[in-house]
Amino acid sequence: MQEEEVGKNKILNIKEENYKKVIITKNGKFTVYSLFFDSNKFSTLNTLSKEDELELERESKLSKMVDFCIKILRKNFISSNELRQKLNKKFNDEELTNEVIELLIKNKILDDKKYVFIAKSLLDEAMYGKYFIIDYFKKKKISNEIIA
């Protein structure tokens, strides 16, 4: 019986908090978004294998990255490229950063077309010229299809 417990992490409790599931284990606490990730998979297990624990750690890190993005997007309306740069700077994980950006775009939380529409309206209102606005979006690394 003791041999089965080696390399396993016992799940002590699972609770819901504001669209998130908090999974408390013997080795720590993991928070994952119920909206984006299949956290139900872990609710049926009594113990976590090493693979399950690594997957849970990854999902927990993705959730922290999504939280970071939402905090930024509450304050500023920024392009996906600017958000990508901020994520890479903070978390230093390009693979997960790309996954988070795709997740936010897929769930319509991040949208470069809306960003361009709003920014262009503000720049037009401030009487900036056409070439200034185009240059502004190119510096933000917005694709030409979206700018046009």
Side-chain angles (χ1 to χ4, degrees):
M1 183 82 168
Q2 195 171 0
E3 289 177 27
E4 289 178 4
E5 295 300 317
V6 174
K8 300 248 179 181
N9 188 359
K10 187 165 177 55
I11 296 175
L12 302 175
N13 191 9
I14 298 175
K15 57 185 178 178
E16 284 275 337
E17 290 181 0
N18 301 330
Y19 304 108
K20 296 179 188 177
K21 281 203 177 176
V22 180
I23 301 169
I24 301 166
T25 67
K26 196 169 76 176
N27 296 346
K29 176 176 150 181
F30 303 97
T31 304
V32 295
Y33 271 99
S34 303
L35 296 171
F36 301 136
F37 307 111
D38 183 19
S39 54
N40 292 328
K41 171 186 172 184
F42 301 107
S43 60
T44 59
L45 302 172
N46 290 331
T47 58
L48 297 173
S49 68
K50 209 54 168 163
E51 294 83 24
D52 289 335
E53 192 170 350
L54 289 173
E55 183 182 345
L56 196 52
E57 284 175 10
R58 183 178 186 282
E59 287 190 9
S60 184
K61 186 173 182 182
L62 283 170
S63 292
K64 286 176 186 172
M65 292 172 82
V66 168
D67 276 341
F68 176 75
C69 290
I70 290 171
K71 284 177 186 172
I72 289 172
L73 291 170
R74 274 191 205 145
K75 295 177 187 173
N76 302 333
F77 198 58
I78 63 175
S79 70
S80 58
N81 189 58
E82 289 173 299
L83 190 56
R84 178 175 281 131
Q85 289 172 347
K86 288 178 185 278
L87 274 170
N88 273 331
K89 185 176 179 183
K90 173 128 176 126
F91 294 97
N92 199 25
D93 190 333
E94 197 168 325
E95 180 186 335
L96 288 181
T97 294
N98 290 334
E99 193 171 329
V100 168
I101 295 295
E102 287 174 23
L103 186 68
L104 293 174
I105 290 170
K106 179 181 147 197
N107 286 285
K108 297 182 171 112
I109 295 170
L110 187 62
D111 187 346
D112 279 347
K113 288 180 184 178
K114 285 181 188 175
Y115 170 76
V116 167
F117 177 78
I118 291 169
K120 185 178 181 314
S121 297
L122 293 171
L123 292 169
D124 280 341
E125 221 174 83
M127 307 287 275
Y128 286 100
K130 175 183 176 181
Y131 295 107
F132 176 88
I133 294 171
I134 290 170
D135 190 47
Y136 173 82
F137 289 129
K138 285 188 177 184
K139 285 180 183 171
K140 301 280 185 184
K141 297 186 178 168
I142 303 289
S143 70
N144 288 333
E145 299 90 50
I146 294 174
I147 295 172

